[in-house]
Amino acid sequence: MSWPLRSAQVKRLRRAHSVLGLTLAGLLYVICLSGALAVFHEALERWEQPQLPESPTYSAPQLAHAVDRFLAETATPPDELFVALPSASLPRMRLSADGHERYVTSSGTLDAAPADSWTHLLVHLHTVLLLPETAGLIVTGSIGALLCALILNGLLSHPNLVKDLFRWRRDRSDALHHTDLHNRLGVWGSPFFLMFGLTGAFFGLIGVLVAAGAERWFDGDRDALIASVYGADIQVVGAPPQIDFQQTLDEMARLAPDATPIYLMIHRPGTERQFVEVGATLPGRLIYSEIYRFDASGTPLGHQGLSDGPLARQIAYSVYRLHFGHFGGWASKLLYGVLGLALAWVCVSGVNIWLARRDHRSVVNGLWDGLVWGTPIALAASAMTALLEGPAQAVLLATLALLPAAAGALPGRLGPVPLRGLLALCLVALAGVHAWRFGIDQPPVVVAINGALCASALCLTGPLLAARRRRPRATTSLGAPEGPPA
């Protein structure tokens, strides 16, 4: 391809960008919106179950007592017992194995089981679109790869990219208004959006890549390929029956004084082959954790080399924090949340460009309005249902199906303005249901979430009040005036 591009080449690129964008817009919007919220999944877990006691500290006796009580509850000893240690963002200890989970009090006794059904639903919507896991991961991974192609195609199809970096013609036609908004957000956010697409493709297609790589280089042995990338497991024999957690924590502090343990993985607990892995974050590193191994008596058995091993291993283990922004505290999470919403807005404005250029309205306008506004309404309605211990997923799916259908069937009555009002009502109702269920005396993070719900509702009602002072006109899914009706 020659440079600069000829006019005919730019037209072909723009046509391809439009076709691909319109094809992906709906699913990509749902993935982006749910992903922007899933960045805060730790805070949302606390919001769903705010009555539990919290503490950012833990002790070896607390660990020992909790593990003993947890194993006593299980019918058969698990192969692996996961212990999530309390942290600043989620100051709760949690044990889980084979689908059985319990929180732990400061004394080591077992507390309630996690009730993060809506948070889990939200993350599941983002990662697999509520499809069966394998199929869902392939779908979302493929959309991530196509997002990268869409971004690169969009950048190449705008030869005046640098000249128009700050151009936004708000006082012109709707098509130009949406085009400038779409292009400015797309260009300024493109480095981050590409990163979202690449890391999302990695998560979704890793199973396919592992299968293909194992067949090509390891005679079909997937475990061997995984071991070559992430490091192999170890085998221990003759372990004592009780784990010395105090010695393990002391040795961990001696080996890596700057590391912060975030979880323990107890392999084959209660057997002579048991050993402990301590996952710990390292300052200034993007890897999810380094893994340090100890036998049951607390003697170090080495580490997995995720922080100082082969470069491919370090990169592979850094993908999670890069994708979700869990590396710089609240600052990085807020940035990622805003960027996720910006990418969702790019999806919406892209379709609005196409709709605004048409000289008529049709059922497509209503369907798109219903999806754009119906998705956050469905999330809010399902969250209320989860707080009331109802079928959250059924409510989410039903709302996602019914609102677009209703908006398509009633374009004059159920457009963006009433849908915006319905969303504002749902957000206020969600905060009200939470306050009714758990009270208003809550940890700061819970108060902040309920405050954000009410503030968002206020932001949504502002344009509604302004719209009442204007002559009613048909609008696009973002609330801007639309072209003449058919």
Side-chain angles (χ1 to χ4, degrees):
M1 181 180 293
S2 60
W3 194 266
L5 300 178
R6 295 188 298 273
S7 176
Q9 293 174 310
V10 171
K11 287 182 179 179
R12 285 197 296 269
L13 284 170
R14 288 182 177 176
R15 190 178 302 113
H17 184 77
S18 297
V19 171
L20 184 57
L22 291 171
T23 302
L24 297 179
L27 290 178
L28 187 57
Y29 169 71
V30 173
I31 291 172
C32 294
L33 182 60
S34 58
L37 298 176
V39 168
F40 306 100
H41 68 87
E42 293 171 327
L44 291 172
E45 285 184 29
R46 299 171 67 184
W47 176 80
E48 275 199 81
Q49 217 166 0
Q51 75 279 13
L52 294 177
E54 297 184 338
S55 173
T57 61
Y58 59 93
S59 65
Q62 177 191 16
L63 280 168
H65 186 64
V67 168
D68 288 341
R69 296 302 304 162
F70 188 86
L71 291 176
E73 283 191 353
T74 58
T76 57
D79 289 333
E80 294 177 338
L81 170 57
F82 181 78
V83 182
L85 298 174
S87 63
S89 57
L90 188 58
R92 300 173 179 178
M93 182 184 293
R94 181 173 65 181
L95 275 66
S96 60
D98 297 339
H100 180 52
E101 294 185 271
R102 295 289 292 273
Y103 283 119
V104 180
T105 67
S106 57
S107 63
T109 57
L110 300 182
D111 208 330
D116 55 352
S117 59
W118 185 78
T119 304
H120 177 77
L121 178 66
L122 175 70
V123 174
H124 201 56
L125 177 64
H126 175 67
T127 55
V128 297
L129 290 171
L130 304 183
L131 297 170
E133 185 171 358
T134 300
L137 285 172
I138 292 175
V139 170
T140 55
S142 300
I143 291 175
L146 291 172
L147 172 62
C148 296
L150 191 63
I151 294 169
L152 294 175
N153 177 283
L155 294 174
L156 290 173
S157 63
H158 291 85
N160 296 324
L161 193 65
V162 177
K163 179 181 177 182
D164 294 339
L165 276 178
F166 299 97
R167 193 179 192 185
W168 188 7
R169 294 163 289 189
R170 287 177 289 179
D171 56 343
R172 303 291 292 276
S173 70
D174 298 328
L176 290 177
H177 170 80
H178 290 306
T179 298
D180 288 344
L181 178 64
H182 179 82
N183 291 343
R184 299 301 78 75
L185 286 176
V187 171
W188 285 104
S190 58
F192 296 96
F193 300 160
L194 276 171
M195 181 269 296
F196 291 156
L198 287 171
T199 53
F202 175 85
F203 279 130
L205 301 177
I206 185 64
V208 176
L209 297 175
V210 166
E215 192 65 34
R216 174 64 177 83
W217 291 296
F218 293 88
D219 296 326
D221 189 345
R222 301 186 185 186
D223 292 336
L225 185 146
I226 294 173
S228 69
V229 176
Y230 291 103
D233 291 332
I234 63 171
Q235 298 296 325
V236 173
V237 295
Q242 293 293 326
I243 296 175
D244 189 338
F245 288 102
Q246 188 64 62
Q247 181 66 18
T248 299
L249 295 178
D250 290 344
E251 284 295 309
M252 179 67 206
R254 182 186 65 82
L255 287 172
D258 295 330
T260 302
I262 57 174
Y263 70 85
L264 306 181
M265 180 68 79
I266 305 173
H267 293 264
R268 295 176 284 276
T271 71
E272 63 175 10
R273 297 186 297 152
Q274 68 177 341
F275 66 95
V276 180
E277 291 181 334
V278 180
T281 59
L282 298 175
R285 299 300 304 273
L286 278 174
I287 59 167
Y288 182 76
S289 68
E290 179 58 271
I291 297 177
Y292 300 86
R293 297 187 175 105
F294 303 86
D295 66 16
S297 64
T299 302
L301 300 175
H303 65 283
Q304 194 156 341
L306 300 169
S307 61
D308 56 5
L311 181 60
R313 182 179 301 176
Q314 297 182 48
I315 293 174
Y317 224 62
S318 300
V319 171
Y320 174 87
R321 296 196 184 280
L322 271 177
H323 188 75
F324 284 102
H326 287 200
F327 55 80
W330 278 103
S332 63
K333 292 177 184 177
L334 288 171
L335 174 63
Y336 269 56
V338 170
L339 288 169
L341 292 176
L343 184 52
W345 197 289
V346 169
C347 296
V348 175
S349 59
V351 176
N352 283 347
I353 294 170
W354 177 71
L355 292 174
R357 287 174 176 169
R358 303 192 311 165
D359 59 356
H360 67 283
R361 286 182 62 89
S362 68
V363 68
V364 175
N365 297 72
L367 290 173
W368 182 241
D369 292 342
L371 178 65
V372 169
W373 294 105
T375 301
I377 290 171
L379 289 171
S382 62
M384 279 189 282
T385 305
L387 292 179
L388 298 173
E389 300 182 357
Q393 180 167 325
V395 170
L396 175 68
L397 293 175
T399 309
L400 281 175
L402 292 176
L403 272 182
L410 304 169
R413 297 183 180 181
L414 198 58
V417 172
L419 287 172
R420 185 196 294 261
L422 180 57
L423 175 57
L425 180 63
C426 287
L427 294 178
V428 173
L430 178 55
V433 168
H434 192 278
W436 171 77
R437 174 89 190 271
F438 301 109
I440 59 175
D441 185 16
Q442 299 295 341
V445 66
V446 176
V447 175
I449 290 175
N450 286 332
L453 292 172
C454 295
S456 299
L458 286 175
C459 292
L460 288 167
T461 54
L464 293 180
L465 296 176
R468 293 186 63 179
R469 295 192 292 267
R470 299 195 303 265
R471 181 171 58 87
R473 290 180 293 174
T475 58
T476 66
S477 57
L478 288 179
E482 178 59 273

